[in-house]
Amino acid sequence: MQLLNSALARLSEDYLGGISVDRVVTVVGVLLSYVLAHAFQRIPARMAAAKHIFSIVSTILLFGPVQEQYTGLIHMAVGSAAIYGLIRWIKSAYMPYIVFLVAMLHMSYSHIQRQIHERSTGAVVMDYTGAQMVFVIKVTSLAFCVYDGRPNVVHPHMSAYQRKNAISRVPGVLEYLGYVFFFAGFSVGPAFELATYRKMIALDDTRARRQLPRRAYRKLLEGAFWMVIYVAYSNVYTYQAMTKPQFYAHRSLLSSALYMCTTGLVVRSAYYTAWKMGEGACILAGLGFDGYDAHGAVQWMDIANVHVRGVELGSSLRQLIDSWNVGTNTWLRHHVYLRISRTPADGARASSTRATVLTFLVSAWWHGFYPGYYLTFVLIALAANAARILRRNLHAIAALPADNHASALRRCVKCAYDVAGWILSKYTLDFAAAPFMVLSLQPSMQLWRDNYFVVPLAVLGIFIAFNVLGAGRFIRSLVGQPQPAPGKKTGKRLKK
């Protein structure tokens, strides 16, 4: 629709600070999803087939004529057909892994094509690969859920999440396409399981429907707030500016750190805009309905793309990571990390650096092949393990007593510990995220070099101090904690 794109180009130039038209078109597509969601939720639950068809047709209209991503529609139509055949006809235990490999390789082709186009034109644009990334999460999750639900397969150590979302039968073609091509979350997410989609289709409760607009439009307003932040400051704070030597001519390391953290917030505001608006459209359609509690009250599950408060105010790197891109994190944890790491016989889980690093590498592969992605995710993986070591050894110093009766000094120490954790976690995240936005290797390394490789050197120092020099034993002796038995791991096990 050339007329629409021309109008949006003028809108961007006159009122939105020259934001790229492809971003504006994506937001317009999400906003149109709200109109369609109102119609979708009014289709009776008994007409499930009509809901599936409505969703598919809506996605074709939004992603085709509105966003003009016809190539992407063809790619995902072919991909969905091939993957459905694999899920239905492969009976071996390797089925979900074959689906995972096929889906990732198909998306890899799209990523490579995009990078070739961007290198030839010199412009970074939003294309169909964003939607294909959501598509890959859905189809690979479905493959694992179908495998987990097979009655002749024993899964002694499935997580509660995997048991809840296991599917005993392969869905029909129409339901499968309605799930994969669900219009409200097609372009920007959130991704979700087929079991969640089925609950939305079956929603037929007037009380629940009355709650939808208030919950949905609150997300829309939140997205609009972050859009204002992005429009106002996206040309002022950029990681690209930090790749230039003249940027550091009159700046101290502290001044550069403050600029970097502000830039990180502005960059994230673009994601918050699309993700929060996308969440609202999904909620308005009824996604997230989770039945009723013991008292008959309506229950809603968390379908968030991102928990902004956790990202911006979290006091640990783990909290920041878990709060960002929640749907992808859920997929990586339950369909990648838990499949890579080994589960002990008692069903408990031990932390695994190897599984963590491999999971972050899968995340980088899922994002594409720019060198900056791999710099970001490798550093984040190593920093997360270093932060875990620090927290394990330092937490006892700042932790309040179980009865919460602590002296004023102890409370001050705890407050200082939390503030320091917040500052260090934020700086680590923004430092590591710089290559993700810069993309290319040489400018990314230049940016890190001009900031003295602070985070990589700090991570290395933590590994040496605690794994080689025995700093943990010194701290435990200092605070009067018992030393671990020789050969015993000090890492805490994660509950199943």
Side-chain angles (χ1 to χ4, degrees):
M1 299 177 69
Q2 283 299 118
L3 186 60
L4 175 63
N5 283 340
S6 298
L8 293 177
R10 289 195 299 272
L11 174 68
S12 174
E13 190 67 31
D14 294 340
Y15 302 104
L16 301 179
I19 295 175
S20 61
V21 176
D22 52 313
R23 290 180 180 271
V24 180
V25 170
T26 299
V27 171
V28 169
V30 174
L31 293 176
L32 289 175
S33 296
Y34 281 76
V35 179
L36 295 169
H38 276 289
F40 179 83
Q41 63 164 287
R42 284 168 171 73
I43 301 175
R46 65 179 183 276
M47 300 174 63
K51 286 193 167 186
H52 301 319
I53 294 171
F54 182 95
S55 182
I56 297 166
V57 172
S58 296
T59 292
I60 292 173
L61 292 175
L62 290 174
F63 209 62
V66 175
Q67 298 189 43
E68 296 186 333
Q69 298 291 351
Y70 297 104
T71 301
L73 279 176
I74 294 172
H75 269 284
M76 281 174 274
V78 173
S80 61
I83 287 169
Y84 185 78
L86 294 175
I87 293 174
R88 176 166 287 279
W89 301 113
I90 297 180
K91 304 300 182 183
S92 76
Y94 295 106
M95 181 273 291
Y97 301 97
I98 294 172
V99 168
F100 189 93
L101 184 62
V102 169
M104 291 290 283
L105 289 175
H106 181 199
M107 185 174 64
S108 297
Y109 170 81
S110 298
H111 279 314
I112 291 170
Q113 289 294 109
R114 175 190 177 185
Q115 289 181 222
I116 291 173
H117 177 265
E118 289 176 355
R119 177 168 293 185
S120 63
T121 61
V124 178
V125 297
M126 293 181 67
D127 65 352
Y128 66 87
T129 53
Q132 192 172 10
M133 291 162 74
V134 179
F135 169 85
V136 166
I137 292 179
K138 285 185 176 181
V139 295
T140 54
S141 298
L142 176 63
F144 279 113
C145 290
V146 169
Y147 173 72
D148 290 339
R150 287 180 177 175
N152 59 331
V153 180
V154 179
H155 306 282
H157 305 311
M158 286 172 60
S159 69
Y161 178 93
Q162 290 166 344
R163 286 193 296 271
K164 177 182 178 180
N165 291 287
I167 299 169
S168 58
R169 295 179 60 186
V170 178
V173 174
L174 188 59
E175 182 185 33
Y176 167 77
L177 293 175
Y179 163 66
V180 170
F181 289 92
F182 176 61
F183 67 96
F186 187 74
S187 294
V188 298
F192 47 88
E193 305 285 3
L194 178 63
T196 304
Y197 177 79
R198 285 176 168 174
K199 289 181 178 180
M200 176 190 66
I201 294 297
L203 175 59
D204 192 19
D205 183 275
T206 304
R207 289 178 304 158
R209 286 180 175 172
R210 289 198 189 111
Q211 297 178 21
L212 296 177
R214 176 177 54 83
R215 298 177 68 247
Y217 284 105
R218 186 188 304 160
K219 300 290 186 182
L220 178 62
L221 289 175
E222 189 176 352
F225 168 79
W226 290 110
M227 182 172 66
V228 171
I229 299 295
Y230 184 75
V231 170
Y233 297 105
S234 59
N235 291 327
V236 180
Y237 296 95
T238 67
Y239 278 116
Q240 283 70 22
M242 299 188 71
T243 64
K244 306 294 192 298
Q246 59 268 28
F247 175 85
Y248 304 92
H250 303 289
R251 290 181 185 268
S252 63
L253 180 60
L254 177 60
S255 175
S256 297
L258 290 174
Y259 182 93
M260 180 180 288
C261 291
T262 306
T263 299
L265 174 62
V266 172
V267 167
R268 287 190 296 276
S269 67
Y271 292 89
Y272 295 157
T273 298
W275 283 348
K276 285 301 173 184
M277 288 182 175
E279 287 174 25
C282 289
I283 290 171
L284 191 58
L287 194 69
F289 175 70
D290 200 22
Y292 310 90
D293 62 16
H295 304 288
V298 178
Q299 294 189 114
W300 301 98
M301 66 182 71
D302 182 16
I303 60 163
N305 269 315
V306 62
H307 297 135
V308 177
R309 182 174 298 180
V311 176
E312 301 303 334
L313 300 178
S315 60
S316 70
L317 188 60
R318 184 75 261 167
Q319 186 180 357
L320 268 62
I321 294 171
D322 289 344
S323 299
W324 177 260
N325 208 348
V326 177
T328 303
N329 279 332
T330 300
W331 172 65
L332 289 170
R333 173 166 179 77
H334 293 286
H335 300 306
V336 179
Y337 180 85
L338 295 182
R339 314 282 176 173
I340 293 174
S341 58
R342 296 297 178 183
T343 307
D346 60 1
R349 295 198 50 77
S351 61
S352 169
T353 301
R354 171 180 168 272
T356 299
V357 172
L358 287 175
T359 301
F360 275 103
L361 286 175
V362 169
S363 181
W365 179 19
W366 177 74
H367 281 87
F369 298 101
Y370 283 107
Y373 295 162
Y374 295 85
L375 290 176
T376 290
F377 287 110
V378 169
L379 180 56
I380 284 287
L382 295 175
N385 278 283
R388 189 182 302 121
I389 292 172
L390 276 182
R391 199 168 187 84
R392 189 169 64 219
N393 288 281
L394 299 180
H395 186 68
I397 299 176
L400 297 176
D403 58 7
N404 209 31
H405 290 100
S407 64
L409 177 61
R410 191 65 180 268
R411 291 183 182 278
C412 287
V413 171
K414 177 65 167 64
C415 181
Y417 175 82
D418 289 339
V419 171
W422 173 68
I423 293 173
L424 294 175
S425 298
K426 286 288 294 177
Y427 181 70
T428 299
L429 177 67
D430 293 324
F431 186 100
F436 188 92
M437 302 308 300
V438 175
L439 300 177
S440 300
L441 179 61
Q442 193 278 329
S444 298
M445 295 303 295
Q446 182 65 45
L447 189 155
W448 279 3
R449 187 183 303 113
D450 289 334
N451 286 274
Y452 304 101
F453 292 104
V454 172
V455 173
L457 290 176
V459 169
L460 179 62
I462 291 169
F463 286 145
I464 293 174
F466 288 91
N467 294 340
V468 178
L469 302 180
R473 288 182 172 273
F474 172 75
I475 292 173
R476 282 188 290 274
S477 65
L478 191 66
V479 299
Q481 282 189 322
Q483 301 290 347
K488 183 179 179 180
K489 292 184 178 179
T490 60
K492 290 184 179 180
R493 281 184 166 183
L494 301 173
K495 291 182 180 180
K496 189 171 76 170

